[in-house]
């Protein structure tokens, strides 16, 4: 639904498809490397990156640990090399919306998974991101448009991958978080703080 809503409006998203987990034991749904994630989870729960060099097997083995053992259906998307960026949007149709800023997430190891998100010190937040102005503006514009198209209220947070070797053409919207985290390590409160807003506000 998100992809169908956004792509006609020119918002770049990686092509992906829903797969039955049992299919993975027969063949890969996409060329490797690709990403598998549950269709109904958040916080990067159950995300796996499938590569030729990984230990999942080829095709994926039933015994290999991964989300295919826990979920019947998964979203398969091409893996996009590059940097992890995120942009928060505040407001709704009746209050006006605004995109705050862009944060770059630099996990100390691996990718921005559940542990990296919720364990203090496992991810460096570069806020605001040290990226070209055109990438900052593109992230903010895309996040705001996605927020509006999906009818979000209050707050949302859009996650991006950016292949910095391709300039703005390498920027892809991965997903829109309609209930983003609000913990002390979370990104929306951090961006709001940099914009001069305290947590109660």
């Amino acid at each position: 639904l998100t992809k169908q809503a956004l792509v006609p409006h020119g918002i770049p998203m990686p092509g992906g498809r829903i797969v039955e987990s049992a299919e993975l034991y027969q063949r890969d749904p996409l060329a490797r490397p690709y990403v598998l994630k549950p269709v109904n989870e958040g916080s990067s729960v159950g995300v796996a990156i499938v590569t030729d060099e990984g230990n999942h097997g080829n095709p994926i083995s039933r015994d290999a640990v991964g989300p295919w053992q826990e979920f019947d259906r998964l979203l398969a998307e091409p893996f996009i090399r590059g940097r992890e960026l995120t942009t928060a949007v505040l407001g709704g149709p009746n209050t006006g919306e605004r995109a705050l800023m862009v944060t770059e997430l630099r996990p100390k190891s691996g990718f921005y998974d559940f542990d990296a998100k919720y364990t203090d010190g496992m991810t460096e937040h570069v806020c605001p991101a040290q990226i070209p102005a055109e990438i900052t503006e593109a992230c903010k514009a895309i996040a705001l448009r996605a927020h509006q198209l999906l009818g979000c209220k209050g707050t949302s947070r859009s996650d991006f991958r950016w292949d910095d070797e391709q300039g703005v053409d390498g920027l892809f919207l991965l997903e829109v978080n309609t209930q983003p985290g609000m913990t002390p390590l979370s990104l929306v409160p951090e961006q709001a703080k940099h914009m001069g807003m305290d947590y109660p506000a």
Side-chain angles (χ1 to χ4, degrees), residues 2-171:
T2 300
K3 185 172 173 57
Q4 292 169 347
L6 299 178
V7 169
H9 296 272
I11 294 177
M13 296 181 68
R17 66 185 186 92
I18 303 294
V19 297
E20 300 297 325
S21 294
E23 296 175 31
L24 300 172
Y25 308 134
Q26 306 300 319
R27 69 190 67 81
D28 284 330
L30 302 171
R32 296 188 182 199
Y34 63 92
V35 178
L36 290 170
K37 52 188 172 184
V39 296
N40 56 354
E41 285 288 348
S43 297
S44 298
V45 170
V47 173
I49 300 175
V50 181
T51 66
D52 285 328
E53 301 79 25
N55 59 359
H56 298 118
N58 195 350
I60 291 173
S61 166
R62 291 179 186 272
D63 297 326
V65 176
W68 44 86
Q69 295 178 327
E70 302 174 51
F71 302 95
D72 294 331
R73 303 174 77 218
L74 299 167
L75 173 62
E77 292 181 331
F79 175 78
I80 301 167
R81 71 157 297 280
R83 298 160 70 173
E84 192 96 18
L85 307 175
T86 192
T87 298
V89 175
L90 295 182
N94 299 322
T95 59
E97 307 101 337
R98 63 178 176 139
L100 298 185
M101 59 178 34
V102 182
T103 299
E104 180 175 2
L105 306 164
R106 296 178 182 170
K108 299 294 173 65
S109 65
F111 67 100
Y112 193 51
D113 61 7
F114 184 89
D115 289 337
K117 288 180 177 181
Y118 296 107
T119 305
D120 196 6
M122 287 192 64
T123 299
E124 177 186 5
H125 295 188
V126 182
C127 181
Q130 297 169 359
I131 56 177
E134 68 171 349
I135 303 302
T136 295
E137 292 310 309
C139 285
K140 290 169 66 175
I142 292 169
L144 181 59
R145 189 67 181 128
H147 181 96
Q148 294 168 336
L149 287 169
L150 295 171
C152 297
K153 301 174 186 175
T155 186
S156 69
R157 198 192 75 239
S158 292
D159 296 336
F160 299 88
R161 290 286 284 182
W162 177 46
D163 182 343
D164 54 9
E165 294 180 359
Q166 297 186 47
V168 74
D169 290 337
L171 182 66

Side-chain angles (χ1 to χ4, degrees), residues 169-190:
D169 290 337
L171 182 66
F172 290 88
L173 174 65
L174 293 182
E175 62 189 21
V176 178
N177 298 276
T178 57
Q179 294 181 322
M182 289 291 179
T183 74
L185 296 178
S186 294
L187 296 153
V188 173
E190 182 178 55

